[in-house]
Amino acid sequence: MISIFLGPPGSGKGTQAKRLSNLKGWPQLSTGDMLRGNIQAGTKLGLEAKSLMDQGLLVSDSVVIGMIDERINASDCSNGFILDGFPRTIIQADALNELLELKNLKLNRVFEFSIPDEVLISRLTGRRTCLKCSSMFHIVSAPPKIFNICDKCGSELVQRQDDSEEVISKRLKVYHQQTSALVQYYSDKNLIKKIDATLSVEVVEKNILALI
Ligand code: AP5
């Protein structure tokens, strides 16, 4: 199955994509994680992306389309995959249609994570991530067992550069200006499944599974 997790920053796309990936074996293709991987590795692409990401702006369409094009050719994607944070513009959505068509693949579902902006600020300012294994925590709703240490691999947890209140506001603005139009785009194709993302992690997961 090929699905898209579409929603504003902090709506829980990454959390749910990881859980679904663990349950079903479909890899999570997160353009945000791929870009952060490039930043960590100090690649040219990472250097260019960093200043845009730190400002809460989108990286160019051609860069992320190229990354997805390459990634979906990998053998672990042959039974399906979960697109987390891609597409984010109409240009990216059109490019995805073309890529899938070329490979004779079909997009099955687009899960729209619906949640008011007010809830997202506290979710994002409290988020802590493991740089080593990408596990995610929240200082209030999902704290690690030991302060600032990853439960899974024991590495130190960090706060993402773009999780300051100022950059979060910018990211939300960018979402409403450039990405939310995709809800209508995929509604017109009859692919949208709306998810109430204000509910607990477990209930959101149950609701997604019921729609698969
Ligand atoms: P990206 O990494 O994709 O970030 P994002 O879309 O802004 O989304 P987040 O990862 O911040 O949030 P999420 O919805 O995954 O929530 P999460 O599960 O972590 O993109 C970062 C940047 O990269 C962009 O700004 C852009 O510059 C660039 N980029 C990436 N893709 C691009 C593209 N396609 N085109 C151009 N540029 C691109 O949860 C958040 C917190 O809430 C966590 O602490 C979690 O524990 C908690 N939480 C989750 N679910 C719940 C729940 N149900 N109840 C309570 N707490 C919860």
Side-chain angles (χ1 to χ4, degrees):
M1 193 185 94
I2 299 176
S3 56
I4 293 175
F5 282 10
L6 173 66
S11 54
K13 307 180 296 294
T15 301
Q16 295 299 334
K18 281 187 180 60
R19 292 173 80 101
L20 188 61
S21 178
N22 286 338
L23 268 175
K24 301 282 187 184
W26 301 312
Q28 171 200 12
L29 311 191
S30 157
T31 37
D33 284 348
M34 292 176 201
L35 290 165
R36 281 183 291 276
N38 272 279
I39 293 174
Q40 247 185 302
T43 66
K44 187 168 169 273
L45 188 157
L47 279 174
E48 281 164 15
K50 186 177 187 321
S51 71
L52 292 165
M53 291 168 78
D54 286 352
Q55 294 173 73
L57 300 172
L58 295 186
V59 173
S60 78
D61 289 325
S62 59
V63 165
V64 289
I65 291 165
M67 289 190 323
I68 289 294
D69 184 13
E70 195 184 322
R71 184 63 184 86
I72 63 180
N73 280 321
S75 59
D76 65 335
C77 289
S78 58
N79 289 323
F81 45 87
I82 307 160
L83 291 162
D84 164 15
F86 179 93
R88 263 171 146 102
T89 62
I90 302 282
I91 291 176
Q92 293 177 24
D94 285 341
L96 176 66
N97 290 341
E98 282 173 29
L99 289 177
L100 295 180
E101 230 174 87
L102 274 173
K103 294 176 208 305
N104 256 330
L105 296 171
K106 188 171 154 264
L107 176 61
N108 302 99
R109 304 257 190 292
V110 178
F111 292 99
E112 179 207 352
F113 285 58
S114 172
I115 187 165
D117 283 1
E118 306 81 77
V119 186
L120 300 173
I121 308 275
S122 65
R123 278 202 187 174
L124 290 173
T125 49
R127 171 169 57 186
R128 297 294 180 272
T129 316
C130 176
L131 267 182
K132 197 164 173 205
C133 74
S134 300
S135 293
M136 222 166 349
F137 300 87
H138 188 278
I139 51 174
V140 179
S141 63
K145 290 189 185 95
I146 303 168
F147 175 74
N148 239 13
I149 298 294
C150 177
D151 287 355
K152 225 170 168 184
C153 74
S155 301
E156 198 186 347
L157 301 179
V158 293
Q159 186 168 21
R160 258 170 55 176
Q161 289 270 349
D162 58 350
D163 276 349
S164 68
E165 268 198 64
E166 196 194 338
V167 182
I168 292 166
S169 304
K170 183 72 196 176
R171 286 161 62 201
L172 287 172
K173 210 167 153 191
V174 166
Y175 177 79
H176 293 298
Q177 285 172 342
Q178 299 189 55
T179 307
S180 59
L182 292 180
V183 174
Q184 191 57 52
Y185 180 98
Y186 286 118
S187 290
D188 292 345
K189 295 180 186 295
N190 246 335
L191 288 169
I192 285 277
K193 299 284 174 200
K194 197 174 182 136
I195 295 290
D196 181 351
T198 61
L199 303 172
S200 71
V201 170
E202 291 73 20
V203 174
V204 173
E205 179 182 45
K206 200 176 112 230
N207 292 345
I208 290 173
L209 287 171
L211 290 168
I212 284 175

